[in-house]
Amino acid sequence: MNKKFGLLMGTLLVTTSVLAACGTKTDTPAAAGATKAPSSSTEVKEQKPVTLKFSIWGNDTHKKMYEDMIAKYKEKNPNISVEITIIPFADYQQKLSIMQASNSAPDVAWLAERMIPQFIQGSQLLDVTSLKSDAAYKFDEVFPTTLELLTKDSKIYGIPFSTPTSMIYYNKTMFKAKGLATPTELYKQGKWNYEEFLKAAKALADPGKGVYGTNFVRNGWTNWPDALQTVFNSYGAELLSKDGTKFTLNSKEGEQALQLYSDMIFKDKVHPKPGDQTTFDTGKIAMQKELFSYMGKAKAIKDFEWDIAPLPQGPKGAGTTMGYAGVVVMKDSKFPKEATDFLKYITNNENMNITSQYFVPSRKSILESESFLKQGPSTESVKLAVIDQMVGATTLPAHKNWQQIDTKMQTILDLLYAQSGKVKDVLTKAESEVSPLLK
């Protein structure tokens, strides 16, 4: 209430008291207006300014995309400001945990599949199930399978915005130069398997010139799940039991899968060695395992022709994994209502259509739209490598103690990279050291 309004109210109250004392009726129009003044003050009260913090692990391009969305959001919500913080993916879970413990966590945050169990089981996420009943939000368009990781006891704790399948980006120019059938052609013939994959990798590799037939490593050598999980899946090997209580990778299938990966690096020499940062866009990698989010960078390639294809088949299938990221509201947010509204805004149809230029959307209508299918080298390629692979795709491993498991596995795999032990020795050591973390 401002000073002028306060003085006016004071004057009215005094006047009313005097009139009452003199026997003046209080049901006159003037008196009736005076009694409604407090209600009027509530109607004109300005909304308090709110600043929401939003954390992501993306790059400046992703940040700019969200900043443009935020500018439009602020036009309709002038009292709300949103600050974006970029945290490197490798440090993201640890830093977010520290921020949560120190009461400095963001209001809204990205979470990847391996991070979600920790925050859900720790009751650190806000229940946003109310979005299901918001007709304008069109919740029914979100694929039910993409909500599984963010659901507990029938309650929804976030909305997935990125559900890309792993795939092969291949240098089409290199295949043409060698007269080889491309991964897409072999896939259509029903022959795209690891045997044909390795034949092509060996034919295209030239280690002496720093040219490799394939590369399974993305986002650094410490990101071992991205490199290995599809191979594990294709051989029927599982890192952990379904209930997350046992380390199950130390098996015949696990040994076969890890041996294949080791041989590509050290025996067949078709894969870069540990520490080698050679990337697909240099033209020195014939087949790169990546996600759809790499599409933006691939489109900038001008020196050679490229395409995408599904992963090769192993004894138990392609083993396709689904990269996964959702937007959540932290439970300790001081502005839960505003934060939930912002989450709803950036994951609605209009804005998920915008983010689909980098992330495979979880909304069916956008995923099947012509604009999404045309983002790749061809509509057919996107359909084969993305849409058709989503049905059988699985998410990467997740556990409430994932940070510890991840760190332990990185250290143990260093033995493989340093060739300090055989594959079986590495798996045995992994079982002995990871198992205590599962209890």
mmCIF file of all heavy atoms in Angstrom, residues 260-278:
data_model
loop_
_atom_site.group_PDB
_atom_site.id
_atom_site.type_symbol
_atom_site.label_atom_id
_atom_site.label_comp_id
_atom_site.label_asym_id
_atom_site.label_seq_id
_atom_site.Cartn_x
_atom_site.Cartn_y
_atom_site.Cartn_z
ATOM 1 N N LEU A 260 35.426 -57.264 -27.834
ATOM 2 C CA LEU A 260 35.205 -56.655 -29.141
ATOM 3 C C LEU A 260 35.696 -55.212 -29.138
ATOM 4 O O LEU A 260 36.411 -54.780 -30.056
ATOM 5 C CB LEU A 260 33.711 -56.691 -29.482
ATOM 6 C CG LEU A 260 33.285 -55.891 -30.721
ATOM 7 C CD1 LEU A 260 33.823 -56.537 -31.989
ATOM 8 C CD2 LEU A 260 31.759 -55.788 -30.803
ATOM 9 N N TYR A 261 35.348 -54.490 -28.095
ATOM 10 C CA TYR A 261 35.751 -53.088 -27.971
ATOM 11 C C TYR A 261 37.276 -52.960 -27.855
ATOM 12 O O TYR A 261 37.896 -52.132 -28.524
ATOM 13 C CB TYR A 261 35.069 -52.491 -26.743
ATOM 14 C CG TYR A 261 35.421 -51.063 -26.424
ATOM 15 C CD1 TYR A 261 35.072 -50.018 -27.276
ATOM 16 C CD2 TYR A 261 36.087 -50.741 -25.237
ATOM 17 C CE1 TYR A 261 35.380 -48.697 -26.961
ATOM 18 C CE2 TYR A 261 36.391 -49.431 -24.920
ATOM 19 C CZ TYR A 261 36.040 -48.416 -25.782
ATOM 20 O OH TYR A 261 36.347 -47.115 -25.464
ATOM 21 N N SER A 262 37.878 -53.818 -27.024
ATOM 22 C CA SER A 262 39.332 -53.800 -26.831
ATOM 23 C C SER A 262 40.063 -54.117 -28.130
ATOM 24 O O SER A 262 41.057 -53.469 -28.476
ATOM 25 C CB SER A 262 39.726 -54.804 -25.744
ATOM 26 O OG SER A 262 41.129 -54.852 -25.586
ATOM 27 N N ASP A 263 39.553 -55.107 -28.862
ATOM 28 C CA ASP A 263 40.198 -55.508 -30.118
ATOM 29 C C ASP A 263 40.127 -54.402 -31.172
ATOM 30 O O ASP A 263 41.065 -54.229 -31.962
ATOM 31 C CB ASP A 263 39.544 -56.783 -30.667
ATOM 32 C CG ASP A 263 39.934 -58.038 -29.878
ATOM 33 O OD1 ASP A 263 40.861 -57.942 -29.046
ATOM 34 O OD2 ASP A 263 39.294 -59.082 -30.076
ATOM 35 N N MET A 264 39.033 -53.666 -31.199
ATOM 36 C CA MET A 264 38.922 -52.568 -32.163
ATOM 37 C C MET A 264 40.045 -51.551 -31.951
ATOM 38 O O MET A 264 40.578 -50.988 -32.898
ATOM 39 C CB MET A 264 37.554 -51.877 -32.034
ATOM 40 C CG MET A 264 36.404 -52.670 -32.607
ATOM 41 S SD MET A 264 34.880 -51.681 -32.867
ATOM 42 C CE MET A 264 34.506 -51.114 -31.207
ATOM 43 N N ILE A 265 40.406 -51.349 -30.675
ATOM 44 C CA ILE A 265 41.426 -50.351 -30.348
ATOM 45 C C ILE A 265 42.836 -50.896 -30.534
ATOM 46 O O ILE A 265 43.669 -50.286 -31.218
ATOM 47 C CB ILE A 265 41.255 -49.866 -28.895
ATOM 48 C CG1 ILE A 265 39.883 -49.233 -28.691
ATOM 49 C CG2 ILE A 265 42.356 -48.865 -28.532
ATOM 50 C CD1 ILE A 265 39.562 -48.895 -27.241
ATOM 51 N N PHE A 266 43.104 -52.039 -29.919
ATOM 52 C CA PHE A 266 44.493 -52.522 -29.832
ATOM 53 C C PHE A 266 44.879 -53.610 -30.828
ATOM 54 O O PHE A 266 46.033 -53.678 -31.248
ATOM 55 C CB PHE A 266 44.753 -53.027 -28.408
ATOM 56 C CG PHE A 266 44.545 -51.982 -27.352
ATOM 57 C CD1 PHE A 266 43.469 -52.047 -26.488
ATOM 58 C CD2 PHE A 266 45.426 -50.906 -27.244
ATOM 59 C CE1 PHE A 266 43.267 -51.065 -25.518
ATOM 60 C CE2 PHE A 266 45.238 -49.929 -26.283
ATOM 61 C CZ PHE A 266 44.151 -50.008 -25.422
ATOM 62 N N LYS A 267 43.952 -54.450 -31.222
ATOM 63 C CA LYS A 267 44.279 -55.544 -32.142
ATOM 64 C C LYS A 267 44.037 -55.140 -33.594
ATOM 65 O O LYS A 267 44.949 -55.185 -34.423
ATOM 66 C CB LYS A 267 43.450 -56.783 -31.800
ATOM 67 C CG LYS A 267 43.711 -57.973 -32.725
ATOM 68 C CD LYS A 267 42.773 -59.124 -32.372
ATOM 69 C CE LYS A 267 42.938 -60.277 -33.363
ATOM 70 N NZ LYS A 267 41.999 -61.393 -33.078
ATOM 71 N N ASP A 268 42.814 -54.733 -33.886
ATOM 72 C CA ASP A 268 42.477 -54.365 -35.263
ATOM 73 C C ASP A 268 42.908 -52.945 -35.617
ATOM 74 O O ASP A 268 43.021 -52.601 -36.795
ATOM 75 C CB ASP A 268 40.963 -54.502 -35.480
ATOM 76 C CG ASP A 268 40.477 -55.928 -35.236
ATOM 77 O OD1 ASP A 268 41.226 -56.862 -35.588
ATOM 78 O OD2 ASP A 268 39.370 -56.094 -34.700
ATOM 79 N N LYS A 269 43.095 -52.121 -34.596
ATOM 80 C CA LYS A 269 43.550 -50.737 -34.755
ATOM 81 C C LYS A 269 42.664 -49.924 -35.700
ATOM 82 O O LYS A 269 43.141 -49.128 -36.509
ATOM 83 C CB LYS A 269 45.006 -50.729 -35.243
ATOM 84 C CG LYS A 269 45.956 -51.374 -34.245
ATOM 85 C CD LYS A 269 47.389 -51.374 -34.721
ATOM 86 C CE LYS A 269 48.284 -52.030 -33.672
ATOM 87 N NZ LYS A 269 49.683 -52.131 -34.100
ATOM 88 N N VAL A 270 41.373 -50.141 -35.537
ATOM 89 C CA VAL A 270 40.422 -49.386 -36.355
ATOM 90 C C VAL A 270 39.756 -48.279 -35.531
ATOM 91 O O VAL A 270 38.928 -47.519 -36.053
ATOM 92 C CB VAL A 270 39.325 -50.319 -36.934
ATOM 93 C CG1 VAL A 270 39.950 -51.356 -37.851
ATOM 94 C CG2 VAL A 270 38.519 -51.002 -35.815
ATOM 95 N N HIS A 271 40.110 -48.191 -34.261
ATOM 96 C CA HIS A 271 39.512 -47.237 -33.332
ATOM 97 C C HIS A 271 40.617 -46.406 -32.692
ATOM 98 O O HIS A 271 41.698 -46.923 -32.393
ATOM 99 C CB HIS A 271 38.742 -48.015 -32.251
ATOM 100 C CG HIS A 271 37.881 -47.180 -31.360
ATOM 101 N ND1 HIS A 271 38.397 -46.299 -30.428
ATOM 102 C CD2 HIS A 271 36.533 -47.110 -31.238
ATOM 103 C CE1 HIS A 271 37.401 -45.721 -29.775
ATOM 104 N NE2 HIS A 271 36.256 -46.188 -30.245
ATOM 105 N N PRO A 272 40.413 -45.111 -32.477
ATOM 106 C CA PRO A 272 41.439 -44.295 -31.813
ATOM 107 C C PRO A 272 41.826 -44.884 -30.459
ATOM 108 O O PRO A 272 41.002 -45.515 -29.781
ATOM 109 C CB PRO A 272 40.736 -42.938 -31.637
ATOM 110 C CG PRO A 272 39.711 -42.905 -32.706
ATOM 111 C CD PRO A 272 39.222 -44.320 -32.843
ATOM 112 N N LYS A 273 43.070 -44.650 -30.069
ATOM 113 C CA LYS A 273 43.539 -45.127 -28.771
ATOM 114 C C LYS A 273 43.122 -44.150 -27.671
ATOM 115 O O LYS A 273 42.797 -42.989 -27.950
ATOM 116 C CB LYS A 273 45.057 -45.285 -28.796
ATOM 117 C CG LYS A 273 45.537 -46.450 -29.647
ATOM 118 C CD LYS A 273 47.044 -46.633 -29.537
ATOM 119 C CE LYS A 273 47.495 -47.842 -30.361
ATOM 120 N NZ LYS A 273 48.971 -48.041 -30.263
ATOM 121 N N PRO A 274 43.122 -44.620 -26.430
ATOM 122 C CA PRO A 274 42.728 -43.756 -25.307
ATOM 123 C C PRO A 274 43.467 -42.419 -25.319
ATOM 124 O O PRO A 274 44.689 -42.372 -25.496
ATOM 125 C CB PRO A 274 43.106 -44.594 -24.083
ATOM 126 C CG PRO A 274 42.961 -45.996 -24.559
ATOM 127 C CD PRO A 274 43.449 -45.986 -25.973
ATOM 128 N N GLY A 275 42.717 -41.360 -25.183
ATOM 129 C CA GLY A 275 43.302 -40.023 -25.179
ATOM 130 C C GLY A 275 43.252 -39.336 -26.521
ATOM 131 O O GLY A 275 43.324 -38.104 -26.599
ATOM 132 N N ASP A 276 43.107 -40.112 -27.596
ATOM 133 C CA ASP A 276 43.030 -39.548 -28.941
ATOM 134 C C ASP A 276 41.692 -38.833 -29.097
ATOM 135 O O ASP A 276 40.628 -39.420 -28.905
ATOM 136 C CB ASP A 276 43.147 -40.678 -29.969
ATOM 137 C CG ASP A 276 43.347 -40.161 -31.394
ATOM 138 O OD1 ASP A 276 42.771 -39.105 -31.729
ATOM 139 O OD2 ASP A 276 44.061 -40.821 -32.170
ATOM 140 N N GLN A 277 41.730 -37.577 -29.477
ATOM 141 C CA GLN A 277 40.513 -36.770 -29.568
ATOM 142 C C GLN A 277 40.057 -36.533 -31.016
ATOM 143 O O GLN A 277 39.300 -35.605 -31.292
ATOM 144 C CB GLN A 277 40.749 -35.412 -28.891
ATOM 145 C CG GLN A 277 41.177 -35.492 -27.435
ATOM 146 C CD GLN A 277 40.111 -36.125 -26.555
ATOM 147 O OE1 GLN A 277 38.923 -35.890 -26.740
ATOM 148 N NE2 GLN A 277 40.530 -36.943 -25.588
ATOM 149 N N THR A 278 40.492 -37.375 -31.938
ATOM 150 C CA THR A 278 40.091 -37.223 -33.338
ATOM 151 C C THR A 278 38.571 -37.291 -33.454
ATOM 152 O O THR A 278 37.937 -38.199 -32.923
ATOM 153 C CB THR A 278 40.714 -38.325 -34.216
ATOM 154 O OG1 THR A 278 42.132 -38.291 -34.089
ATOM 155 C CG2 THR A 278 40.347 -38.112 -35.693
#
